[in-house]
Amino acid sequence: MRALCVVGSPSPHSHTRALVLHIAALLERRGFTITLADLAERELPHSHPEHYWSGRPHPVPAAREFVAAARDCDAVVLGTPVYHAGYSGLLKNALDLLPYDAFDGKAVGLAANAGGPRGSAGACEQLRQVVKALGGWPVPAQVSTVAADFAPGADGRPALDANGPLHDRCAGMADQLAAFTRAMRKGTAGTEATAGTEGAVA
């Protein structure tokens, strides 16, 4: 199983990045191979209708790589900071580069970090609509954090408390992503086997 974990913060040492990495580590323990898409490092081009509607591969290699990663994965995690009660423009631009069916049949976990009181749930709810538009299945569990939920890690960067209640919330999301992904893979395999049997009988 492969998971694409997207960090939608422009800061390279953000709480959002720490949150996504925490979830990614939990997914690895559940059998996923992780591809990290840190948008602070990817330098994706601005989305444009000319490319969105053309159906042709994007002319910029970084955009093509991001689209391929979204298509090739089995599950997705989208992490965002909260700006003006919404998810980041950096993440919006990245998602706008994707074709309409990029998340078709994939489980998607949503996580957001807010700078103030816990207002990040709204950003996750906004992302649920986008995920559905891309054909994805947003899992019920979502994770909302604030800066106080983190402490400096061994490298001095923010790290989520591995013994706190938010760790359990992240673990619940990872469980749902793993369960849904395995169910989808099993269902797909069953469909392919049935199709093969029907072909043999015919």
Side-chain angles (χ1 to χ4, degrees):
M1 298 187 295
R2 296 163 294 182
L4 173 65
C5 296
V6 183
V7 181
S9 172
S11 173
H13 307 311
S14 67
H15 295 96
T16 300
R17 188 178 196 276
L19 176 58
V20 172
L21 289 178
H22 192 88
I23 297 168
L26 291 169
L27 289 174
E28 283 186 315
R29 296 177 197 171
R30 288 156 177 77
F32 283 90
T33 299
I34 303 299
T35 296
L36 182 67
D38 190 336
L39 301 183
E41 301 173 351
R42 287 264 173 160
E43 297 185 358
L44 294 175
H46 292 300
S47 61
H48 193 283
E50 178 181 342
H51 306 303
Y52 182 85
W53 295 110
S54 70
R56 298 188 301 272
H58 200 284
V60 178
R64 292 199 301 271
E65 291 170 4
F66 182 68
V67 171
R71 284 200 177 281
D72 293 343
C73 70
D74 301 300
V76 181
V77 174
L78 300 178
T80 183
V82 178
Y83 297 145
H84 301 311
Y87 62 99
S88 73
L90 194 63
L91 181 56
K92 171 62 173 170
N93 182 72
L95 294 173
D96 283 349
L97 291 170
L98 299 177
Y100 70 94
D101 59 349
F103 293 165
D104 192 25
K106 305 178 198 297
V108 182
L110 304 173
N113 181 78
R118 295 188 187 278
S120 48
C124 290
E125 291 303 320
Q126 293 166 12
L127 281 170
R128 284 184 182 277
Q129 301 305 312
V130 179
V131 168
K132 292 175 184 178
L134 291 168
W137 294 76
V139 298
Q142 61 190 38
V143 183
S144 301
T145 59
V146 295
D149 296 318
F150 298 82
D155 58 359
R157 299 181 181 183
L160 196 65
D161 182 2
N163 298 308
L166 283 169
H167 168 80
D168 296 337
R169 186 72 174 173
C170 291
M173 175 194 287
D175 286 339
Q176 291 180 3
L177 288 167
F180 184 93
T181 300
R182 290 193 177 99
M184 285 296 294
R185 287 164 65 93
K186 183 177 180 180
T188 301
T191 301
E192 292 174 349
T194 301
T197 301
E198 291 174 350
V201 172

